[in-house]
Amino acid sequence: MKYRSFPKIPGLDVSALGLGCMRLPVADGDPGRIDEDAGRAIVNAAMEAGVNYIDTAWPYHKEESERFVGRTLEALGARDRFLVATKSPVWLVKERDDWDRFLDEQLVRLRTDHVDFYLLHALSATRWETVLRTGGLEALQRAKSDGRIRHAGFSFHDSHAAFRTIVDGWDGWEFCQVQYNYMDEDYQAGRAGIEYAASRGLGTIAMEPLRGGALAKVPDGVKDIFSAYRTPRMPAEWALRHVLDRQEVVTVLSGMGSADQLWENAAVASSAMPNSISAAERSLLDGARDWFRARMAVPCTTCGYCKPCPSGVAIPEAFELWNAASMFGDRDGKASWYASMYASRGSGADACTRCGACEPKCPQGIAIPDRLSEAHAFLS
Ligand code: SF4
Ligand code: SF4
């Protein structure tokens, strides 16, 4: 295993591969019933492979993930072998005391007296306002001072502009966690966000390196592109190597469904060095990205410049789901997400009144109302 370190936390070796506990094996397809034996085998394999970073969060597996991590590390006697990361459920915070209440409950769930890496979960511009309004930063500082957390950071899902605001909003950040993979160079924080964070002294934890698994099971067209390389490689290896090539990335989180998968990914993380991808490899990764992009339904970059819509339509979100379904073929999954997160809450594409406010703001020149109507039909 290779180890890297955060610029603000020198001397602390962090494995280049981190174990994500959001998609552990479950019983009977129920996310709330983690398969204890299979899950423990993965944690055990991680330990043997030299992985020393384990990541969980309040809501994962219907709030069972943190409890699983606590039980498992205790049973394996491995608490001191891992840097434990978890995240504050910002969306549940209503007042100042909530920050401490959630953290104290998480320490109980995790069966530990401290969290090594504590993140404010999935920050966005809106949630950042909640953090500031309810004293979240003071709470983080207090928790660091009294030893309940060792290092403070945030994970992120919003526009690049919001990312910069949050990075600049507190000197106490020690790291950030963003979605990054070869398809998402310009999505949310993106490559530019990772570089900006580095310019402010923040190392990055990369999440979704396989885009929820889609980049591990690529279509034949993409397999054909990768097959031009001199050595056979699995699609997941290509995706992980792309992320680990960035020197700003300290660890890449992957949710691995079996011990075998963990060993495969650990082998990649044991050999991938920063800035080592050759021109030939880069051209194949570019080819794979182009293959997917050619199948995008709409050229939306999810920049968010069209927002806010006066009718509350989730414009980039609807286009993103339409594109993901078109590129990766998971139409049912995306349709279900669209229905539950947007259409049923009045922010689906069908809420568009064709007022025309968004269209002039779109740098891609997308005929937004017309394309929204198509997106809605596709996703419904
Ligand atoms: S045209 Fe539709 S999507 Fe665009 S701002 Fe108006 S209501 Fe919103
Ligand atoms: S529709 Fe246009 S402005 Fe809106 S997010 Fe997509 S590319 Fe950006």
Side-chain angles (χ1 to χ4, degrees):
M1 179 58 57
K2 290 273 189 286
Y3 296 86
R4 302 182 180 190
S5 58
F6 292 93
K8 286 195 177 181
I9 319 173
L12 180 67
D13 289 338
V14 180
S15 53
L17 178 68
L19 174 59
C21 292
M22 186 171 76
R23 299 191 186 97
L24 292 162
V26 297
D28 303 326
D30 177 357
R33 294 183 56 205
I34 296 169
D35 181 329
E36 203 77 15
D37 291 342
R40 188 172 298 184
I42 292 170
V43 177
N44 206 29
M47 192 162 58
E48 288 178 13
V51 171
N52 71 353
Y53 190 96
I54 187 164
D55 170 84
T56 180
W58 179 277
Y60 293 173
H61 286 285
K62 296 184 178 171
E63 299 187 19
E64 288 301 322
S65 177
E66 289 177 325
R67 293 188 178 97
F68 165 80
V69 170
R71 274 194 309 276
T72 303
L73 295 189
E74 187 176 83
L76 294 173
R79 174 61 186 88
D80 294 340
R81 302 279 296 272
F82 283 95
L83 299 163
V84 173
T86 194
K87 314 182 188 79
S88 186
V90 180
W91 57 94
L92 297 177
V93 170
K94 300 284 183 276
E95 56 190 25
R96 194 182 179 103
D97 288 350
D98 289 343
W99 297 105
D100 286 323
R101 190 165 60 80
F102 286 118
L103 173 55
D104 290 341
E105 170 63 20
Q106 288 173 298
L107 292 172
V108 172
R109 291 179 178 188
L110 288 163
R111 304 187 186 198
T112 185
D113 62 357
H114 72 276
V115 174
D116 296 282
F117 284 74
Y118 197 59
L119 299 87
L120 302 190
H121 197 170
L123 286 192
S124 60
T126 314
R127 288 184 185 163
W128 179 236
E129 286 174 14
T130 302
V131 172
L132 297 178
R133 181 171 48 77
T134 57
L137 301 177
E138 292 76 12
L140 278 178
Q141 193 59 61
R142 199 167 48 240
K144 266 191 83 171
S145 301
D146 63 29
R148 284 175 297 161
I149 68 174
R150 294 269 162 90
H151 304 291
F154 65 94
S155 65
F156 180 80
H157 290 287
D158 201 346
S159 67
H160 178 75
F163 181 76
R164 289 174 72 115
T165 300
I166 294 168
V167 168
D168 291 341
W170 191 42
D171 286 341
W173 299 129
E174 292 167 276
F175 63 97
C176 61
Q177 181 169 319
V178 304
Q179 175 164 336
Y180 187 65
N181 56 63
Y182 69 78
M183 286 303 299
D184 291 328
E185 288 266 296
D186 302 311
Y187 179 62
Q188 295 184 353
R191 181 187 62 244
I194 289 174
E195 290 170 357
Y196 186 70
S199 76
R200 303 299 305 258
L202 304 187
T204 290
I205 297 168
M207 59 181 161
E208 298 291 0
L210 306 179
R211 229 183 192 254
L215 300 183
K217 293 181 197 141
V218 297
D220 287 346
V222 176
K223 282 186 197 153
D224 290 346
I225 291 168
F226 286 145
S227 71
Y229 193 60
R230 55 184 164 77
T231 319
R233 278 181 185 167
M234 300 295 280
E237 177 170 352
W238 281 100
L240 288 172
R241 283 186 181 278
H242 169 82
V243 177
L244 287 166
D245 197 56
R246 293 221 66 97
Q247 63 185 19
E248 303 90 344
V249 170
V250 176
T251 186
V252 56
L253 295 179
S254 185
M256 293 160 279
S258 68
D260 286 349
Q261 247 176 38
L262 186 133
W263 282 111
E264 286 167 15
N265 291 350
V268 180
S270 297
S271 62
M273 299 294 290
N275 305 313
S276 65
I277 286 187
S278 67
E281 290 167 289
R282 178 64 56 208
S283 116
L284 295 178
L285 281 161
D286 289 347
R289 182 187 306 118
D290 291 347
W291 189 96
F292 281 121
R293 286 203 175 146
R295 283 148 187 86
M296 282 172 82
V298 58
C300 173
T301 61
T302 65
C303 65
Y305 294 149
C306 51
K307 289 165 82 169
C309 157
S311 299
V313 176
I315 305 168
E317 291 84 356
F319 286 156
E320 163 68 7
L321 287 170
W322 187 20
N323 276 335
S326 304
M327 289 188 288
F328 301 110
D330 177 25
R331 180 175 168 160
D332 289 350
K334 298 298 181 245
S336 154
W337 186 255
Y338 173 73
S340 66
M341 294 302 293
Y342 304 110
S344 66
R345 300 180 184 194
S347 59
D350 55 334
C352 173
T353 60
R354 294 185 168 267
C355 73
C358 56
E359 232 176 283
K361 295 192 260 180
C362 177
Q364 305 300 321
I366 297 169
I368 294 177
D370 288 348
R371 305 310 306 274
L372 280 175
S373 169
E374 289 176 58
H376 184 74
F378 184 87
L379 292 168
S380 299

